[in-house]
Amino acid sequence: MSDGMKVLIVEDDPNICDLLQLYLEKEGYNVIQSFDGEEGLAKYYEENPDFVILDIMLPKVDGWEVCQEIRDDRDIPLLMLTGKGESYDKVKGLELGADDYVVKPFDPKEIIARMKAILRRTNPHLNSHENIDFPQLLINMKEFKVFRKSKDINLPPKELELLYFLASQPNQVFTRQQLLEKIWGFDYEGDVRTIDVHIKRIREKLGDELPYWSLKTIRGVGYKFEVNLGV
């Protein structure tokens, strides 16, 4: 999985950069370092990395802005680092499109494990390549695309996998913890609110729900993809 993969680290602490580079290179990754947000964006465009490790508190351009610009450019696996542990920062990072979030201080082995988990779930080659077709909604896993009223909707891999999983088992209720384990993996240690953030983004992108199907919140439990084709 790591063979030849290029990782951009945007972190203003050279010691952290060097430590991460040491561990990443042992795993077979090619590492690019940058020490402020402005340089990080420049190297992102120059080097076209496969993965980004991004600190939030950066000189010149902060990590929030860097994350937003990268997400506006393309959907690349992105792990955010910060010295803050407040839930606000975690939720904001996830809303901007970060795939995961690690609070300093951390064990470099944890970063490697989180990276591998992200890469597993953002890999478009899922076990199933079947299409799911509902009125005005087509989920094409072979091409990794979603069509709403024949319009191509851009969903990042984790959002698409979550939608596909729910839609492939219509009318079945899943808890947030079950969804975390199914989509993010048993080794994911993030907050269950990750599910709420991603469901919210999916709903916003799909637009108004039809009477035939909808993403339903089951209060106090979780979510289901509700289907009523008899309407």
PDB file of all heavy atoms in Angstrom, residues 172-203:
ATOM      1  N   GLN A 172     -33.000  -0.744   7.239  1.00  0.00           N
ATOM      2  CA  GLN A 172     -32.340  -1.341   8.396  1.00  0.00           C
ATOM      3  C   GLN A 172     -31.645  -0.244   9.198  1.00  0.00           C
ATOM      4  O   GLN A 172     -30.916   0.588   8.633  1.00  0.00           O
ATOM      5  CB  GLN A 172     -31.320  -2.399   7.956  1.00  0.00           C
ATOM      6  CG  GLN A 172     -30.676  -3.123   9.143  1.00  0.00           C
ATOM      7  CD  GLN A 172     -29.848  -4.319   8.693  1.00  0.00           C
ATOM      8  OE1 GLN A 172     -30.062  -4.862   7.620  1.00  0.00           O
ATOM      9  NE2 GLN A 172     -28.917  -4.733   9.528  1.00  0.00           N
ATOM     10  N   VAL A 173     -31.869  -0.241  10.499  1.00  0.00           N
ATOM     11  CA  VAL A 173     -31.301   0.789  11.370  1.00  0.00           C
ATOM     12  C   VAL A 173     -29.919   0.366  11.854  1.00  0.00           C
ATOM     13  O   VAL A 173     -29.723  -0.781  12.273  1.00  0.00           O
ATOM     14  CB  VAL A 173     -32.222   1.049  12.578  1.00  0.00           C
ATOM     15  CG1 VAL A 173     -31.610   2.106  13.498  1.00  0.00           C
ATOM     16  CG2 VAL A 173     -33.593   1.477  12.117  1.00  0.00           C
ATOM     17  N   PHE A 174     -28.970   1.303  11.788  1.00  0.00           N
ATOM     18  CA  PHE A 174     -27.612   1.057  12.283  1.00  0.00           C
ATOM     19  C   PHE A 174     -27.256   2.130  13.303  1.00  0.00           C
ATOM     20  O   PHE A 174     -27.548   3.312  13.115  1.00  0.00           O
ATOM     21  CB  PHE A 174     -26.595   1.103  11.140  1.00  0.00           C
ATOM     22  CG  PHE A 174     -26.742  -0.018  10.152  1.00  0.00           C
ATOM     23  CD1 PHE A 174     -27.518   0.154   9.011  1.00  0.00           C
ATOM     24  CD2 PHE A 174     -26.124  -1.242  10.361  1.00  0.00           C
ATOM     25  CE1 PHE A 174     -27.668  -0.876   8.099  1.00  0.00           C
ATOM     26  CE2 PHE A 174     -26.267  -2.276   9.453  1.00  0.00           C
ATOM     27  CZ  PHE A 174     -27.050  -2.098   8.322  1.00  0.00           C
ATOM     28  N   THR A 175     -26.610   1.717  14.375  1.00  0.00           N
ATOM     29  CA  THR A 175     -26.123   2.687  15.358  1.00  0.00           C
ATOM     30  C   THR A 175     -24.908   3.401  14.780  1.00  0.00           C
ATOM     31  O   THR A 175     -24.275   2.926  13.826  1.00  0.00           O
ATOM     32  CB  THR A 175     -25.723   2.003  16.670  1.00  0.00           C
ATOM     33  OG1 THR A 175     -24.580   1.166  16.436  1.00  0.00           O
ATOM     34  CG2 THR A 175     -26.867   1.166  17.224  1.00  0.00           C
ATOM     35  N   ARG A 176     -24.564   4.525  15.386  1.00  0.00           N
ATOM     36  CA  ARG A 176     -23.370   5.260  14.951  1.00  0.00           C
ATOM     37  C   ARG A 176     -22.118   4.385  15.111  1.00  0.00           C
ATOM     38  O   ARG A 176     -21.228   4.397  14.267  1.00  0.00           O
ATOM     39  CB  ARG A 176     -23.225   6.554  15.751  1.00  0.00           C
ATOM     40  CG  ARG A 176     -24.290   7.586  15.419  1.00  0.00           C
ATOM     41  CD  ARG A 176     -24.303   8.722  16.450  1.00  0.00           C
ATOM     42  NE  ARG A 176     -25.253   9.759  16.106  1.00  0.00           N
ATOM     43  CZ  ARG A 176     -26.557   9.684  16.367  1.00  0.00           C
ATOM     44  NH1 ARG A 176     -27.047   8.597  16.979  1.00  0.00           N
ATOM     45  NH2 ARG A 176     -27.363  10.668  16.028  1.00  0.00           N
ATOM     46  N   GLN A 177     -22.048   3.644  16.216  1.00  0.00           N
ATOM     47  CA  GLN A 177     -20.891   2.784  16.444  1.00  0.00           C
ATOM     48  C   GLN A 177     -20.785   1.697  15.385  1.00  0.00           C
ATOM     49  O   GLN A 177     -19.694   1.393  14.897  1.00  0.00           O
ATOM     50  CB  GLN A 177     -20.973   2.150  17.838  1.00  0.00           C
ATOM     51  CG  GLN A 177     -19.718   1.390  18.249  1.00  0.00           C
ATOM     52  CD  GLN A 177     -18.484   2.265  18.291  1.00  0.00           C
ATOM     53  OE1 GLN A 177     -18.525   3.373  18.816  1.00  0.00           O
ATOM     54  NE2 GLN A 177     -17.379   1.770  17.729  1.00  0.00           N
ATOM     55  N   GLN A 178     -21.913   1.113  15.004  1.00  0.00           N
ATOM     56  CA  GLN A 178     -21.898   0.084  13.945  1.00  0.00           C
ATOM     57  C   GLN A 178     -21.401   0.671  12.625  1.00  0.00           C
ATOM     58  O   GLN A 178     -20.608   0.040  11.920  1.00  0.00           O
ATOM     59  CB  GLN A 178     -23.303  -0.494  13.756  1.00  0.00           C
ATOM     60  CG  GLN A 178     -23.733  -1.449  14.851  1.00  0.00           C
ATOM     61  CD  GLN A 178     -25.178  -1.898  14.681  1.00  0.00           C
ATOM     62  OE1 GLN A 178     -26.042  -1.118  14.293  1.00  0.00           O
ATOM     63  NE2 GLN A 178     -25.439  -3.165  14.971  1.00  0.00           N
ATOM     64  N   LEU A 179     -21.841   1.884  12.318  1.00  0.00           N
ATOM     65  CA  LEU A 179     -21.420   2.523  11.067  1.00  0.00           C
ATOM     66  C   LEU A 179     -19.935   2.864  11.088  1.00  0.00           C
ATOM     67  O   LEU A 179     -19.237   2.713  10.085  1.00  0.00           O
ATOM     68  CB  LEU A 179     -22.260   3.774  10.804  1.00  0.00           C
ATOM     69  CG  LEU A 179     -23.743   3.503  10.490  1.00  0.00           C
ATOM     70  CD1 LEU A 179     -24.532   4.796  10.456  1.00  0.00           C
ATOM     71  CD2 LEU A 179     -23.895   2.746   9.168  1.00  0.00           C
ATOM     72  N   LEU A 180     -19.453   3.314  12.248  1.00  0.00           N
ATOM     73  CA  LEU A 180     -18.010   3.578  12.377  1.00  0.00           C
ATOM     74  C   LEU A 180     -17.208   2.308  12.097  1.00  0.00           C
ATOM     75  O   LEU A 180     -16.210   2.325  11.367  1.00  0.00           O
ATOM     76  CB  LEU A 180     -17.673   4.089  13.770  1.00  0.00           C
ATOM     77  CG  LEU A 180     -17.799   5.580  14.051  1.00  0.00           C
ATOM     78  CD1 LEU A 180     -17.446   5.864  15.503  1.00  0.00           C
ATOM     79  CD2 LEU A 180     -16.916   6.399  13.128  1.00  0.00           C
ATOM     80  N   GLU A 181     -17.648   1.203  12.685  1.00  0.00           N
ATOM     81  CA  GLU A 181     -16.911  -0.052  12.527  1.00  0.00           C
ATOM     82  C   GLU A 181     -16.992  -0.574  11.096  1.00  0.00           C
ATOM     83  O   GLU A 181     -16.019  -1.120  10.573  1.00  0.00           O
ATOM     84  CB  GLU A 181     -17.448  -1.091  13.512  1.00  0.00           C
ATOM     85  CG  GLU A 181     -17.131  -0.749  14.968  1.00  0.00           C
ATOM     86  CD  GLU A 181     -17.785  -1.697  15.955  1.00  0.00           C
ATOM     87  OE1 GLU A 181     -18.520  -2.614  15.512  1.00  0.00           O
ATOM     88  OE2 GLU A 181     -17.575  -1.517  17.173  1.00  0.00           O
ATOM     89  N   LYS A 182     -18.159  -0.421  10.454  1.00  0.00           N
ATOM     90  CA  LYS A 182     -18.335  -0.928   9.090  1.00  0.00           C
ATOM     91  C   LYS A 182     -17.567  -0.109   8.060  1.00  0.00           C
ATOM     92  O   LYS A 182     -16.984  -0.658   7.122  1.00  0.00           O
ATOM     93  CB  LYS A 182     -19.821  -0.933   8.718  1.00  0.00           C
ATOM     94  CG  LYS A 182     -20.680  -1.890   9.525  1.00  0.00           C
ATOM     95  CD  LYS A 182     -20.386  -3.334   9.158  1.00  0.00           C
ATOM     96  CE  LYS A 182     -21.342  -4.285   9.880  1.00  0.00           C
ATOM     97  NZ  LYS A 182     -21.065  -5.699   9.563  1.00  0.00           N
ATOM     98  N   ILE A 183     -17.550   1.211   8.214  1.00  0.00           N
ATOM     99  CA  ILE A 183     -16.967   2.088   7.200  1.00  0.00           C
ATOM    100  C   ILE A 183     -15.547   2.505   7.559  1.00  0.00           C
ATOM    101  O   ILE A 183     -14.656   2.514   6.716  1.00  0.00           O
ATOM    102  CB  ILE A 183     -17.835   3.349   6.991  1.00  0.00           C
ATOM    103  CG1 ILE A 183     -19.293   2.967   6.728  1.00  0.00           C
ATOM    104  CG2 ILE A 183     -17.289   4.204   5.847  1.00  0.00           C
ATOM    105  CD1 ILE A 183     -19.509   2.047   5.547  1.00  0.00           C
ATOM    106  N   TRP A 184     -15.315   2.829   8.821  1.00  0.00           N
ATOM    107  CA  TRP A 184     -13.993   3.312   9.238  1.00  0.00           C
ATOM    108  C   TRP A 184     -13.102   2.196   9.770  1.00  0.00           C
ATOM    109  O   TRP A 184     -11.903   2.357   9.861  1.00  0.00           O
ATOM    110  CB  TRP A 184     -14.142   4.412  10.294  1.00  0.00           C
ATOM    111  CG  TRP A 184     -14.394   5.766   9.706  1.00  0.00           C
ATOM    112  CD1 TRP A 184     -13.476   6.768   9.534  1.00  0.00           C
ATOM    113  CD2 TRP A 184     -15.637   6.283   9.218  1.00  0.00           C
ATOM    114  NE1 TRP A 184     -14.079   7.862   8.969  1.00  0.00           N
ATOM    115  CE2 TRP A 184     -15.400   7.599   8.759  1.00  0.00           C
ATOM    116  CE3 TRP A 184     -16.917   5.756   9.112  1.00  0.00           C
ATOM    117  CZ2 TRP A 184     -16.403   8.392   8.219  1.00  0.00           C
ATOM    118  CZ3 TRP A 184     -17.923   6.545   8.574  1.00  0.00           C
ATOM    119  CH2 TRP A 184     -17.662   7.848   8.134  1.00  0.00           C
ATOM    120  N   GLY A 185     -13.678   1.071  10.149  1.00  0.00           N
ATOM    121  CA  GLY A 185     -12.878  -0.050  10.636  1.00  0.00           C
ATOM    122  C   GLY A 185     -12.861  -0.145  12.147  1.00  0.00           C
ATOM    123  O   GLY A 185     -13.064   0.831  12.867  1.00  0.00           O
ATOM    124  N   PHE A 186     -12.591  -1.335  12.650  1.00  0.00           N
ATOM    125  CA  PHE A 186     -12.591  -1.582  14.092  1.00  0.00           C
ATOM    126  C   PHE A 186     -11.470  -0.829  14.805  1.00  0.00           C
ATOM    127  O   PHE A 186     -11.554  -0.568  15.997  1.00  0.00           O
ATOM    128  CB  PHE A 186     -12.444  -3.088  14.376  1.00  0.00           C
ATOM    129  CG  PHE A 186     -13.680  -3.869  14.071  1.00  0.00           C
ATOM    130  CD1 PHE A 186     -13.820  -4.540  12.864  1.00  0.00           C
ATOM    131  CD2 PHE A 186     -14.731  -3.931  14.981  1.00  0.00           C
ATOM    132  CE1 PHE A 186     -14.969  -5.255  12.577  1.00  0.00           C
ATOM    133  CE2 PHE A 186     -15.887  -4.638  14.702  1.00  0.00           C
ATOM    134  CZ  PHE A 186     -16.008  -5.305  13.496  1.00  0.00           C
ATOM    135  N   ASP A 187     -10.398  -0.471  14.060  1.00  0.00           N
ATOM    136  CA  ASP A 187      -9.269   0.201  14.691  1.00  0.00           C
ATOM    137  C   ASP A 187      -9.442   1.716  14.728  1.00  0.00           C
ATOM    138  O   ASP A 187      -8.574   2.440  15.202  1.00  0.00           O
ATOM    139  CB  ASP A 187      -7.960  -0.152  13.981  1.00  0.00           C
ATOM    140  CG  ASP A 187      -7.994   0.124  12.482  1.00  0.00           C
ATOM    141  OD1 ASP A 187      -9.081   0.476  11.959  1.00  0.00           O
ATOM    142  OD2 ASP A 187      -6.941  -0.024  11.834  1.00  0.00           O
ATOM    143  N   TYR A 188     -10.572   2.215  14.227  1.00  0.00           N
ATOM    144  CA  TYR A 188     -10.796   3.662  14.235  1.00  0.00           C
ATOM    145  C   TYR A 188     -11.182   4.102  15.633  1.00  0.00           C
ATOM    146  O   TYR A 188     -12.075   3.542  16.249  1.00  0.00           O
ATOM    147  CB  TYR A 188     -11.894   4.027  13.238  1.00  0.00           C
ATOM    148  CG  TYR A 188     -12.154   5.507  13.137  1.00  0.00           C
ATOM    149  CD1 TYR A 188     -11.210   6.356  12.575  1.00  0.00           C
ATOM    150  CD2 TYR A 188     -13.334   6.060  13.625  1.00  0.00           C
ATOM    151  CE1 TYR A 188     -11.443   7.720  12.483  1.00  0.00           C
ATOM    152  CE2 TYR A 188     -13.577   7.418  13.532  1.00  0.00           C
ATOM    153  CZ  TYR A 188     -12.625   8.238  12.957  1.00  0.00           C
ATOM    154  OH  TYR A 188     -12.864   9.591  12.869  1.00  0.00           O
ATOM    155  N   GLU A 189     -10.514   5.152  16.137  1.00  0.00           N
ATOM    156  CA  GLU A 189     -10.746   5.597  17.506  1.00  0.00           C
ATOM    157  C   GLU A 189     -11.378   6.985  17.555  1.00  0.00           C
ATOM    158  O   GLU A 189     -11.369   7.651  18.583  1.00  0.00           O
ATOM    159  CB  GLU A 189      -9.426   5.595  18.281  1.00  0.00           C
ATOM    160  CG  GLU A 189      -8.800   4.203  18.385  1.00  0.00           C
ATOM    161  CD  GLU A 189      -7.445   4.226  19.065  1.00  0.00           C
ATOM    162  OE1 GLU A 189      -6.976   5.340  19.407  1.00  0.00           O
ATOM    163  OE2 GLU A 189      -6.864   3.153  19.262  1.00  0.00           O
ATOM    164  N   GLY A 190     -11.919   7.436  16.443  1.00  0.00           N
ATOM    165  CA  GLY A 190     -12.523   8.757  16.391  1.00  0.00           C
ATOM    166  C   GLY A 190     -13.871   8.809  17.090  1.00  0.00           C
ATOM    167  O   GLY A 190     -14.411   7.809  17.549  1.00  0.00           O
ATOM    168  N   ASP A 191     -14.414  10.008  17.172  1.00  0.00           N
ATOM    169  CA  ASP A 191     -15.689  10.264  17.839  1.00  0.00           C
ATOM    170  C   ASP A 191     -16.840   9.761  16.979  1.00  0.00           C
ATOM    171  O   ASP A 191     -16.815   9.870  15.759  1.00  0.00           O
ATOM    172  CB  ASP A 191     -15.812  11.780  18.051  1.00  0.00           C
ATOM    173  CG  ASP A 191     -16.862  12.131  19.083  1.00  0.00           C
ATOM    174  OD1 ASP A 191     -18.009  11.681  18.921  1.00  0.00           O
ATOM    175  OD2 ASP A 191     -16.539  12.853  20.037  1.00  0.00           O
ATOM    176  N   VAL A 192     -17.890   9.229  17.633  1.00  0.00           N
ATOM    177  CA  VAL A 192     -19.057   8.751  16.887  1.00  0.00           C
ATOM    178  C   VAL A 192     -19.763   9.894  16.168  1.00  0.00           C
ATOM    179  O   VAL A 192     -20.531   9.665  15.227  1.00  0.00           O
ATOM    180  CB  VAL A 192     -20.065   8.008  17.789  1.00  0.00           C
ATOM    181  CG1 VAL A 192     -19.492   6.692  18.277  1.00  0.00           C
ATOM    182  CG2 VAL A 192     -20.515   8.882  18.945  1.00  0.00           C
ATOM    183  N   ARG A 193     -19.499  11.139  16.583  1.00  0.00           N
ATOM    184  CA  ARG A 193     -20.105  12.282  15.900  1.00  0.00           C
ATOM    185  C   ARG A 193     -19.595  12.439  14.473  1.00  0.00           C
ATOM    186  O   ARG A 193     -20.139  13.205  13.689  1.00  0.00           O
ATOM    187  CB  ARG A 193     -19.864  13.564  16.704  1.00  0.00           C
ATOM    188  CG  ARG A 193     -20.770  13.677  17.931  1.00  0.00           C
ATOM    189  CD  ARG A 193     -20.425  14.883  18.772  1.00  0.00           C
ATOM    190  NE  ARG A 193     -19.113  14.757  19.387  1.00  0.00           N
ATOM    191  CZ  ARG A 193     -18.575  15.675  20.188  1.00  0.00           C
ATOM    192  NH1 ARG A 193     -19.246  16.766  20.461  1.00  0.00           N
ATOM    193  NH2 ARG A 193     -17.390  15.488  20.723  1.00  0.00           N
ATOM    194  N   THR A 194     -18.514  11.723  14.161  1.00  0.00           N
ATOM    195  CA  THR A 194     -18.044  11.675  12.777  1.00  0.00           C
ATOM    196  C   THR A 194     -19.191  11.280  11.847  1.00  0.00           C
ATOM    197  O   THR A 194     -19.334  11.826  10.748  1.00  0.00           O
ATOM    198  CB  THR A 194     -16.897  10.637  12.640  1.00  0.00           C
ATOM    199  OG1 THR A 194     -15.814  11.051  13.454  1.00  0.00           O
ATOM    200  CG2 THR A 194     -16.433  10.503  11.207  1.00  0.00           C
ATOM    201  N   ILE A 195     -20.005  10.328  12.286  1.00  0.00           N
ATOM    202  CA  ILE A 195     -21.136   9.861  11.477  1.00  0.00           C
ATOM    203  C   ILE A 195     -22.114  10.998  11.220  1.00  0.00           C
ATOM    204  O   ILE A 195     -22.571  11.211  10.092  1.00  0.00           O
ATOM    205  CB  ILE A 195     -21.859   8.684  12.163  1.00  0.00           C
ATOM    206  CG1 ILE A 195     -20.905   7.488  12.328  1.00  0.00           C
ATOM    207  CG2 ILE A 195     -23.100   8.274  11.370  1.00  0.00           C
ATOM    208  CD1 ILE A 195     -20.407   6.911  11.025  1.00  0.00           C
ATOM    209  N   ASP A 196     -22.433  11.771  12.257  1.00  0.00           N
ATOM    210  CA  ASP A 196     -23.374  12.883  12.113  1.00  0.00           C
ATOM    211  C   ASP A 196     -22.863  13.895  11.088  1.00  0.00           C
ATOM    212  O   ASP A 196     -23.624  14.404  10.258  1.00  0.00           O
ATOM    213  CB  ASP A 196     -23.590  13.580  13.451  1.00  0.00           C
ATOM    214  CG  ASP A 196     -24.139  12.635  14.522  1.00  0.00           C
ATOM    215  OD1 ASP A 196     -24.846  11.678  14.154  1.00  0.00           O
ATOM    216  OD2 ASP A 196     -23.860  12.862  15.702  1.00  0.00           O
ATOM    217  N   VAL A 197     -21.567  14.197  11.159  1.00  0.00           N
ATOM    218  CA  VAL A 197     -20.964  15.164  10.230  1.00  0.00           C
ATOM    219  C   VAL A 197     -21.098  14.686   8.792  1.00  0.00           C
ATOM    220  O   VAL A 197     -21.476  15.442   7.891  1.00  0.00           O
ATOM    221  CB  VAL A 197     -19.480  15.406  10.581  1.00  0.00           C
ATOM    222  CG1 VAL A 197     -18.792  16.237   9.497  1.00  0.00           C
ATOM    223  CG2 VAL A 197     -19.358  16.111  11.927  1.00  0.00           C
ATOM    224  N   HIS A 198     -20.817  13.406   8.568  1.00  0.00           N
ATOM    225  CA  HIS A 198     -20.840  12.889   7.200  1.00  0.00           C
ATOM    226  C   HIS A 198     -22.265  12.725   6.666  1.00  0.00           C
ATOM    227  O   HIS A 198     -22.507  12.983   5.481  1.00  0.00           O
ATOM    228  CB  HIS A 198     -20.062  11.568   7.142  1.00  0.00           C
ATOM    229  CG  HIS A 198     -18.580  11.772   7.273  1.00  0.00           C
ATOM    230  ND1 HIS A 198     -17.980  11.968   8.484  1.00  0.00           N
ATOM    231  CD2 HIS A 198     -17.607  11.859   6.339  1.00  0.00           C
ATOM    232  CE1 HIS A 198     -16.682  12.150   8.302  1.00  0.00           C
ATOM    233  NE2 HIS A 198     -16.430  12.084   7.021  1.00  0.00           N
ATOM    234  N   ILE A 199     -23.191  12.312   7.528  1.00  0.00           N
ATOM    235  CA  ILE A 199     -24.590  12.240   7.102  1.00  0.00           C
ATOM    236  C   ILE A 199     -25.084  13.627   6.706  1.00  0.00           C
ATOM    237  O   ILE A 199     -25.780  13.802   5.688  1.00  0.00           O
ATOM    238  CB  ILE A 199     -25.482  11.661   8.227  1.00  0.00           C
ATOM    239  CG1 ILE A 199     -25.180  10.174   8.457  1.00  0.00           C
ATOM    240  CG2 ILE A 199     -26.957  11.876   7.908  1.00  0.00           C
ATOM    241  CD1 ILE A 199     -25.675   9.236   7.362  1.00  0.00           C
ATOM    242  N   LYS A 200     -24.743  14.642   7.503  1.00  0.00           N
ATOM    243  CA  LYS A 200     -25.142  16.023   7.201  1.00  0.00           C
ATOM    244  C   LYS A 200     -24.615  16.456   5.834  1.00  0.00           C
ATOM    245  O   LYS A 200     -25.341  17.051   5.024  1.00  0.00           O
ATOM    246  CB  LYS A 200     -24.615  16.958   8.297  1.00  0.00           C
ATOM    247  CG  LYS A 200     -24.930  18.431   8.099  1.00  0.00           C
ATOM    248  CD  LYS A 200     -24.464  19.230   9.306  1.00  0.00           C
ATOM    249  CE  LYS A 200     -24.743  20.726   9.144  1.00  0.00           C
ATOM    250  NZ  LYS A 200     -23.827  21.363   8.188  1.00  0.00           N
ATOM    251  N   ARG A 201     -23.348  16.132   5.542  1.00  0.00           N
ATOM    252  CA  ARG A 201     -22.767  16.518   4.255  1.00  0.00           C
ATOM    253  C   ARG A 201     -23.436  15.779   3.099  1.00  0.00           C
ATOM    254  O   ARG A 201     -23.679  16.350   2.031  1.00  0.00           O
ATOM    255  CB  ARG A 201     -21.258  16.256   4.261  1.00  0.00           C
ATOM    256  CG  ARG A 201     -20.495  17.186   5.180  1.00  0.00           C
ATOM    257  CD  ARG A 201     -19.068  17.432   4.721  1.00  0.00           C
ATOM    258  NE  ARG A 201     -18.294  16.214   4.615  1.00  0.00           N
ATOM    259  CZ  ARG A 201     -17.306  15.891   5.440  1.00  0.00           C
ATOM    260  NH1 ARG A 201     -17.010  16.684   6.449  1.00  0.00           N
ATOM    261  NH2 ARG A 201     -16.625  14.782   5.277  1.00  0.00           N
ATOM    262  N   ILE A 202     -23.726  14.500   3.292  1.00  0.00           N
ATOM    263  CA  ILE A 202     -24.393  13.716   2.243  1.00  0.00           C
ATOM    264  C   ILE A 202     -25.762  14.322   1.941  1.00  0.00           C
ATOM    265  O   ILE A 202     -26.127  14.506   0.777  1.00  0.00           O
ATOM    266  CB  ILE A 202     -24.543  12.237   2.662  1.00  0.00           C
ATOM    267  CG1 ILE A 202     -23.170  11.561   2.744  1.00  0.00           C
ATOM    268  CG2 ILE A 202     -25.439  11.486   1.669  1.00  0.00           C
ATOM    269  CD1 ILE A 202     -23.202  10.195   3.410  1.00  0.00           C
ATOM    270  N   ARG A 203     -26.517  14.635   2.994  1.00  0.00           N
ATOM    271  CA  ARG A 203     -27.843  15.226   2.794  1.00  0.00           C
ATOM    272  C   ARG A 203     -27.757  16.551   2.037  1.00  0.00           C
ATOM    273  O   ARG A 203     -28.568  16.821   1.145  1.00  0.00           O
ATOM    274  CB  ARG A 203     -28.521  15.452   4.150  1.00  0.00           C
ATOM    275  CG  ARG A 203     -29.057  14.181   4.794  1.00  0.00           C
ATOM    276  CD  ARG A 203     -29.519  14.454   6.198  1.00  0.00           C
ATOM    277  NE  ARG A 203     -30.238  13.323   6.782  1.00  0.00           N
ATOM    278  CZ  ARG A 203     -30.413  13.153   8.078  1.00  0.00           C
ATOM    279  NH1 ARG A 203     -29.917  14.034   8.935  1.00  0.00           N
ATOM    280  NH2 ARG A 203     -31.084  12.110   8.533  1.00  0.00           N
TER     281      ARG A 203
END
